Amino acid sequence: MSKDQYILAIETSCDETAVAIVRNETELVTNIVASQIESHKRFGGVVPEIASRHHIEQMTITLEEALQESGLTIDDMDAITVTEGPGLVGALLVGVNAAKSIAFAKQKPLVGVHHIAGHIYANRLEKEFEFPLLALVVSGGHTELVLMREHGSFEIIGETRDDAAGEAYDKVARTLKLPYPGGPQIDQLAQDGEETIDFPRAWLEDGSYDFSFSGLKSAVINRLHKAKQKDEFLKPEDIAASFQASVVEVLSTKAFRAAEEYGVKQMIVAGGVAANKGLRAALHEKFKSSETELLIPPLHLCTDNAAMIAAAGAVAYNQGHRSGWELNANPGLDLELYGDRKQ
């Protein structure tokens, strides 16, 4: 019987300090996440400098907890993987330097991982991939449709031209004076509201798989401002439901159309907004009669975590990808170029 392979991963791209260990590419051993939400809540968003300081404080503690929970040591690891980008440069640097230090001290292979590749590969911890597949990536900073024909290959067939879906959620939430993070608050409100306002849907050109949420965000904010000027009461629940209906319809319709056109075997949903109840329900409805299998990760694998980085990093490692000691934070790391360099 061959020896089990263990991959340790570190994720510090934004405001979660996370360490995880995955066995044989798809078996989650431990996944520790230290959240900073309470620290950033009073500012209404992530403050990069504060995020970096918290990562420094939590890095060793999180690593020790992951090793203790797993019953393993660094010596048991086959490779050390880490998010190198995209993300906040100061936050990324903490994780990258921690990973480099561990890998150098223990002479372990080092593998830099793309954050979005990680979100996609979170799904593989639940179900094996079948190619070709399509991933709908929806988060605070990204909204993309990514075609994968094989492991480690990423072709972006559609992306946002302005605001990401999660970004629009946060901006509308701030206008409604909802606490940070705004996305879950809007989703929760929407469950109790009705779609009473017909907000715009940005379909763009015929056949386009790109997205645009800036106009929708502005339409919601303008409607709220006009109501305030007229002393008109609008139920926050109905605003949330109407806004979410627009976002969800565009995302689910374009994802379904692309899945049909490209004849994919699986439709994968990835990123923090994948936790959105409205989006999950709409996608299940769209794909219930489709031959394409719909995969949506459990909630704990939607938001930033290191398990997803370990899952993507394990594939990269087994494909022969290695990072040198010059590995650095790369806040603008391109997903397609990241895939190309591993081929």
Side-chain angles (χ1 to χ4, degrees), residues 22 24 30 85 96 133-134 152 162 174 197 212 253 266 283 324 329 334:
V22 162
N24 301 331
T30 183
V96 167
L133 64 81
L134 194 63
D162 40 60
R174 277 200 291 273
I197 303 171
S212 173
T253 301
Q266 290 176 328
L283 286 167
D334 183 276

Side-chain angles (χ1 to χ4, degrees), residues 33 80 165 207 272:
V33 180
I80 310 299

Side-chain angles (χ1 to χ4, degrees), residues 124-135:
R124 194 169 178 242
L125 294 170
E126 296 294 311
K127 182 80 182 291
E128 185 55 73
F129 283 177
E130 294 180 34
F131 299 104
L133 64 81
L134 194 63

Side-chain angles (χ1 to χ4, degrees), residues 111-170:
V111 182
V113 177
H114 195 289
H115 182 73
I116 297 303
H119 273 304
I120 292 170
Y121 271 90
N123 285 276
R124 194 169 178 242
L125 294 170
E126 296 294 311
K127 182 80 182 291
E128 185 55 73
F129 283 177
E130 294 180 34
F131 299 104
L133 64 81
L134 194 63
L136 172 65
V137 179
V138 269
S139 68
H142 299 266
T143 304
E144 299 163 344
L145 278 168
V146 183
L147 178 66
M148 293 182 65
R149 301 184 190 278
E150 60 184 354
H151 281 300
S153 169
F154 307 96
E155 178 188 344
I156 297 174
I157 64 167
E159 60 190 333
T160 184
R161 297 181 182 178
D162 40 60
D163 290 350
E167 195 177 355
Y169 267 91
D170 287 338

Side-chain angles (χ1 to χ4, degrees), residues 20-340:
I21 298 171
V22 162
R23 178 173 49 234
N24 301 331
E25 292 195 358
T26 59
E27 301 170 38
L28 183 56
V29 177
T30 183
N31 186 31
I32 306 299
V33 180
S35 175
Q36 301 178 15
I37 286 177
E38 291 305 316
S39 297
H40 297 284
K41 188 176 284 185
R42 63 192 171 113
F43 301 106
V46 177
V47 181
E49 176 66 18
I50 293 174
S52 301
R53 289 178 183 272
H54 278 312
H55 285 312
I56 293 169
E57 294 167 0
Q58 294 293 327
M59 191 70 261
T60 304
I61 298 169
T62 310
L63 174 64
E64 289 176 348
E65 187 176 343
L67 291 171
Q68 185 176 1
E69 185 177 279
S70 68
L72 299 166
T73 68
I74 297 296
D75 291 327
D76 296 316
M77 300 301 123
D78 288 87
I80 310 299
T81 64
V82 61
T83 304
E84 63 172 296
L88 302 174
V89 65
L92 289 165
L93 279 168
V94 177
V96 167
N97 283 299
K100 286 167 70 173
S101 300
I102 296 166
F104 183 79
K106 291 293 187 177
Q107 287 300 292
K108 297 288 184 180
L110 177 68
V111 182
V113 177
H114 195 289
H115 182 73
I116 297 303
H119 273 304
I120 292 170
Y121 271 90
N123 285 276
R124 194 169 178 242
L125 294 170
E126 296 294 311
K127 182 80 182 291
E128 185 55 73
F129 283 177
E130 294 180 34
F131 299 104
L133 64 81
L134 194 63
L136 172 65
V137 179
V138 269
S139 68
H142 299 266
T143 304
E144 299 163 344
L145 278 168
V146 183
L147 178 66
M148 293 182 65
R149 301 184 190 278
E150 60 184 354
H151 281 300
S153 169
F154 307 96
E155 178 188 344
I156 297 174
I157 64 167
E159 60 190 333
T160 184
R161 297 181 182 178
D162 40 60
D163 290 350
E167 195 177 355
Y169 267 91
D170 287 338
K171 288 176 180 176
V172 169
R174 277 200 291 273
T175 307
L176 287 170
K177 294 181 169 51
L178 298 174
Y180 171 83
Q185 303 290 337
I186 292 275
D187 189 27
Q188 189 173 337
L189 269 184
Q191 307 307 312
D192 300 322
E194 296 181 9
E195 189 189 347
T196 58
I197 303 171
D198 185 21
F199 285 127
R201 274 78 165 151
W203 299 110
L204 305 177
E205 306 85 13
D206 285 346
S208 173
Y209 292 121
D210 281 352
F211 302 95
S212 173
F213 296 107
S214 181
L216 168 63
K217 171 203 68 182
S218 298
V220 176
I221 293 172
N222 289 339
R223 184 70 180 87
L224 287 167
H225 286 167
K226 287 179 182 177
K228 187 177 181 181
Q229 290 168 355
K230 295 178 180 178
D231 204 23
E232 174 190 0
F233 175 72
L234 295 175
K235 286 182 65 179
E237 293 86 352
D238 291 348
I239 290 286
S242 301
F243 164 74
Q244 179 153 293
S246 174
V247 175
V248 163
E249 183 181 348
V250 172
L251 288 173
S252 60
T253 301
K254 291 206 173 197
F256 180 77
R257 203 177 75 224
E260 294 287 296
E261 180 179 331
Y262 284 88
V264 295
K265 294 180 180 178
Q266 290 176 328
M267 180 74 223
I268 285 171
V269 190
V273 184
N276 183 283
K277 292 177 184 175
L279 178 60
R280 293 167 87 98
L283 286 167
H284 278 299
E285 181 65 26
K286 279 280 185 188
F287 283 88
K288 67 180 181 182
S289 301
S290 173
E291 293 183 3
T292 300
E293 181 183 21
L294 177 66
L295 299 183
I296 305 178
L299 297 182
H300 71 279
L301 291 178
C302 291
T303 51
D304 290 352
N305 64 87
M308 67 187 201
I309 302 304
V315 171
Y317 170 72
N318 288 322
Q319 287 181 330
H321 177 60
R322 303 289 184 272
S323 299
W325 301 125
E326 73 281 0
L327 179 69
N328 203 353
N330 190 345
L333 185 60
D334 183 276
L335 181 61
E336 291 180 326
L337 293 178
Y338 164 80
D340 288 343

